[in-house]
């Protein structure tokens, strides 16, 4: 059985802000991937995955989905009995969409209605996002559906607001000094508790105000400038975004990254932001001079994801 691969995703912009209707820019990340496979389940990883799928299939059996998006849960359960598991190297708790890829893989294989991501309309994208939200809620308590949507489409997606999403093209990569890169904090983050902290903060009127008037403005300006490849306003807003996060998202910034975050702001050599919900996992870095940033971030494991 040769099932398609589903890649991880990276939220370049919009983490937390999307909950409050900011724009978001999310891209697939092919370094990590997962696919559904059969096996004799003779190792712990495969056995655990198979057992997790079984629990998930019970959740799906009770889930009411619109008729166009119904899943063949019986076929899914049969395959689980035959040794189905999700073979994935996507790290969990790193903000790169481990549950999103799993949901996308199951939907692609067991949805009664087959779709071609290349021809999906904007309206259908909106409906898909909603359905994926229901499917992924099992893993996080609540889900916007964005992660599975990106993994399923395997295309960059621009989130215009809570309602509207569309396919988008990123500026062509080129060999330059600049880079967007990932820093491995070396610790696993848990999405649930971080989102809980965010919702607690939202109860504070002052925080809500600065989120809407500052964070969302800088975030949207970064997306706009990046897609136009207008790098001066991009880095100007990127710094503001990084300063804002340093001041307001402290509980979400892993402790061992804190000084490095400040060093970037003080030197203007690079700027850091959260990748996903934070608390651990990856942190995103943006720099005009990767060689310089790399030296300053000595001791951290880094991966370049985009050059310019």
């Amino acid at each position: 059985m040769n099932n398609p691969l589903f890649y991880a995703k990276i939220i370049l912009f919009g983490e937390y802000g999307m909950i409050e209707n900011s724009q978001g820019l999310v891209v697939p990340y092919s370094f990590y991937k997962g696919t559904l496979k059969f096996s004799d389940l003779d190792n712990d990883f495969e056995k655990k995955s198979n057992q997790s799928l079984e629990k998930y299939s019970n959740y799906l059996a009770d889930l009411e989905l619109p008729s166009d998006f119904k899943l063949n849960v019986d076929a899914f359960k049969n395959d689980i009995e035959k040794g189905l598991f999700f073979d994935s190297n996507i790290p969990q708790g790193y903000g790169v969409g481990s549950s999103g890829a799993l949901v996308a893989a199951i939907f692609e294989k067991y949805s009664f209605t087959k779709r071609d991501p290349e021809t999906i309309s904007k309206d259908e994208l909106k409906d898909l996002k909603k359905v994926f939200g229901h499917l992924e809620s099992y893993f996080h308590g609540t889900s916007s559906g964005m992660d599975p949507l990106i993994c399923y489409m395997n295309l960059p997606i621009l989130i215009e607001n809570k309602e509207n999403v569309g396919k988008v093209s990123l500026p062509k990569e080129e060999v330059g000094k600049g880079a967007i890169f990932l820093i491995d904090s070396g610790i696993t983050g848990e999405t649930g508790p971080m989102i809980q902290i965010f919702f607690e903060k939202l109860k504070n009127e002052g925080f809500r105000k600065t989120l809407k008037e500052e964070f969302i403005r800088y975030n949207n300006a970064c997306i706009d400038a990046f897609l136009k490849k207008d790098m001066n306003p991009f880095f100007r807003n990127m710094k503001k975004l990084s300063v804002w996060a340093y001041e307001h998202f402290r509980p979400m910034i892993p402790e061992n990254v804190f000084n490095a975050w400040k060093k970037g702001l003080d030197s203007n050599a690079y700027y850091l932001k959260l990748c996903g919900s934070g608390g651990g996992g990856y942190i995103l870095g943006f720099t005009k001079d990767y060689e310089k940033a790399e030296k300053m971030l000595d001791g951290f494991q880094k991966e370049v994801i985009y050059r310019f």
Side-chain angles (χ1 to χ4, degrees):
M1 176 179 91
N2 223 355
N3 285 319
L5 288 168
F6 288 88
Y7 298 126
K9 61 84 207 165
I10 290 173
I11 297 177
L12 283 185
F13 296 100
E15 77 294 340
Y16 290 112
M18 287 190 281
I19 295 170
E20 288 294 295
N21 227 17
S22 81
Q23 289 184 355
L25 182 61
V26 193
V27 297
Y29 183 43
S30 60
F31 187 77
Y32 294 120
K33 48 191 130 352
T35 188
L36 290 166
K37 279 184 183 175
F38 286 105
S39 88
D40 297 333
L41 307 180
D42 48 14
N43 71 46
D44 273 358
F45 175 82
E46 293 171 5
K47 219 174 285 175
K48 266 190 193 149
S49 174
N50 178 266
Q51 286 162 359
S52 301
L53 291 183
E54 193 182 350
K55 285 180 191 157
Y56 186 48
S57 73
N58 296 330
Y59 167 80
L60 293 181
D62 295 333
L63 196 63
E64 277 297 315
L65 292 172
S67 56
D68 279 5
F69 298 94
K70 284 202 183 300
L71 300 178
N72 189 343
V73 179
D74 291 339
F76 183 36
K77 282 180 174 287
N78 277 341
D79 285 347
I80 290 165
E81 278 179 34
K82 290 177 196 161
L84 187 74
F85 75 104
F86 190 56
D87 188 16
S88 164
N89 69 347
I90 305 172
Q92 294 188 350
Y94 262 65
V96 288
S98 52
S99 59
L102 171 61
V103 167
I106 291 167
F107 183 82
E108 195 277 335
K109 184 160 174 57
Y110 296 102
S111 172
F112 283 110
T113 309
K114 297 301 171 197
R115 293 171 174 81
D116 174 5
E118 294 287 339
T119 59
I120 286 174
S121 70
K122 201 168 177 180
D123 281 344
E124 205 174 359
L125 267 184
K126 208 197 282 192
D127 296 337
L128 254 182
K129 181 175 172 287
K130 206 176 285 179
V131 166
F132 279 140
H134 296 310
L135 293 175
E136 203 192 23
S137 290
Y138 170 81
F139 300 98
H140 297 312
T142 55
S143 163
S144 67
M146 190 44 67
D147 285 12
L149 183 68
I150 302 298
C151 298
Y152 178 72
M153 297 293 291
N154 196 27
L155 295 164
I157 297 281
L158 175 67
I159 297 96
E160 293 158 26
N161 49 44
K162 273 184 186 171
E163 287 300 308
N164 294 310
V165 293
K167 298 176 246 188
V168 72
S169 296
L170 296 187
K172 206 170 170 332
E173 268 197 87
E174 51 192 66
V175 183
K177 288 176 81 172
I180 301 174
F181 57 97
L182 293 173
I183 292 176
D184 188 346
S185 70
I187 53 174
T188 304
E190 279 188 57
T191 302
M194 293 297 114
I195 287 177
Q196 205 49 51
I197 291 168
F198 178 72
F199 279 122
E200 278 304 309
K201 281 175 162 289
L202 273 184
K203 291 176 185 172
N204 177 307
E205 201 183 319
F207 178 77
R208 276 202 318 274
K209 194 173 187 300
T210 178
L211 184 84
K212 284 186 171 142
E213 290 176 7
E214 295 176 43
F215 177 84
I216 289 178
R217 185 155 52 95
Y218 306 148
N219 176 77
N220 293 0
C222 280
I223 292 173
D224 186 55
F226 179 68
L227 291 177
K228 288 177 182 163
K229 214 166 182 184
D230 208 344
M231 287 333 230
N232 285 334
F234 173 74
F235 275 101
R236 212 166 40 241
N237 283 290
M238 189 63 239
K239 179 169 188 178
K240 289 174 184 170
L241 195 61
S242 186
V243 168
W244 192 96
Y246 182 77
E247 288 169 358
H248 297 280
F249 279 161
R250 280 197 179 202
M252 289 84 156
I253 299 172
E255 251 174 70
N256 62 337
V257 178
F258 213 71
N259 291 338
W261 196 298
K262 180 87 166 62
K263 202 176 8 170
L265 291 173
D266 291 345
S267 64
N268 291 315
Y270 58 86
Y271 304 125
L272 301 183
K273 67 180 288 298
L274 297 177
C275 177
S277 55
Y282 286 120
I283 297 292
L284 269 164
F286 299 78
T287 180
K288 290 178 180 174
D289 184 345
Y290 182 66
E291 217 173 288
K292 185 179 178 185
E294 191 181 28
K295 283 188 188 124
M296 288 176 71
L297 289 161
D298 191 38
F300 285 104
Q301 238 186 316
K302 297 166 289 291
E303 291 168 31
V304 172
I305 59 170
Y306 184 87
R307 295 300 309 228
F308 56 87

